[in-house]
Amino acid sequence: MSEARIDKWMWAVRIFKTRTIAAEACKKGRISINGGLAKAARTVKPGDVIQVRKPPVTYSFKVLQAIEKRIGAKLVTEIMENVTTPDQYELLEMSRISGFIDRAKGAGRPTKKDRRTLEEFTTPEFMDDFDFEFDFEEE
């Protein structure tokens, strides 16, 4: 098979959990093939570069094989190549760090993991080197 529908292909290589979600992403304009917006029925062929916008990151994948049947996760590397640029992963990391600084109203209290990450982010490195013991003896 040299061509496959984009929604089936993205579901088959596990970019999206269901084919319905993949088709919705196409409908919302979050999927582009070689720079042009793609509808769910658009076909992909080997060599195409697919960009998937999952805010705040835009992932890029190169099609190595066009398939429509779902495969095991270990075989995905034979079907597609992840060509996402490193700066997109930096964006993801920055949003992960800053995600709980301006928490949405009603999101609840930060978890212990959130607190530790926030302390790690806000505490300067040079603070670890000092002992804050003071000697307050009166003369």
Side-chain angles (χ1 to χ4, degrees):
M1 184 181 290
S2 62
E3 290 188 346
R5 284 177 55 118
I6 183 70
D7 59 341
K8 285 185 178 183
W9 185 84
M10 290 188 302
W11 166 76
V13 295
R14 300 167 182 268
I15 294 173
F16 289 101
K17 194 172 185 177
T18 66
R19 189 171 152 208
T20 307
I21 297 170
E24 280 179 20
C26 291
K27 194 181 289 182
K28 291 178 181 175
R30 294 188 175 155
I31 311 300
S32 61
I33 301 174
N34 299 327
L37 288 180
K39 293 183 178 178
R42 170 95 186 263
T43 57
V44 293
K45 55 190 177 303
D48 286 346
V49 175
I50 296 169
Q51 291 178 316
V52 180
R53 196 166 47 85
K54 289 184 179 180
V57 182
T58 301
Y59 298 97
S60 300
F61 305 102
K62 186 174 183 182
V63 179
L64 301 178
Q65 288 182 41
I67 61 167
E68 289 189 346
K69 298 262 191 244
R70 196 154 170 109
I71 56 166
K74 289 182 180 180
L75 301 174
V76 168
T77 54
E78 299 170 15
I79 307 301
M80 73 165 185
E81 180 184 348
N82 187 347
V83 291
T84 307
T85 56
D87 63 319
Q88 292 295 319
Y89 287 113
E90 288 174 24
L91 271 174
L92 183 64
E93 188 60 32
M94 288 305 291
S95 71
R96 201 175 276 154
I97 290 171
S98 67
F100 53 83
I101 292 173
D102 52 345
R103 291 176 75 83
K105 187 174 181 181
R109 291 175 54 186
T111 63
K112 192 181 280 189
K113 182 180 177 191
D114 290 342
R115 178 184 54 80
R116 288 180 180 147
T117 310
L118 181 61
E119 284 175 357
E120 183 181 302
F121 182 68
T122 57
T123 307
E125 290 84 34
F126 64 87
M127 296 294 274
D128 297 338
D129 299 336
F130 291 108
D131 280 335
F132 288 106
E133 293 180 25
F134 295 102
D135 196 16
F136 291 110
E137 290 182 18
E138 302 235 354
E139 293 180 17

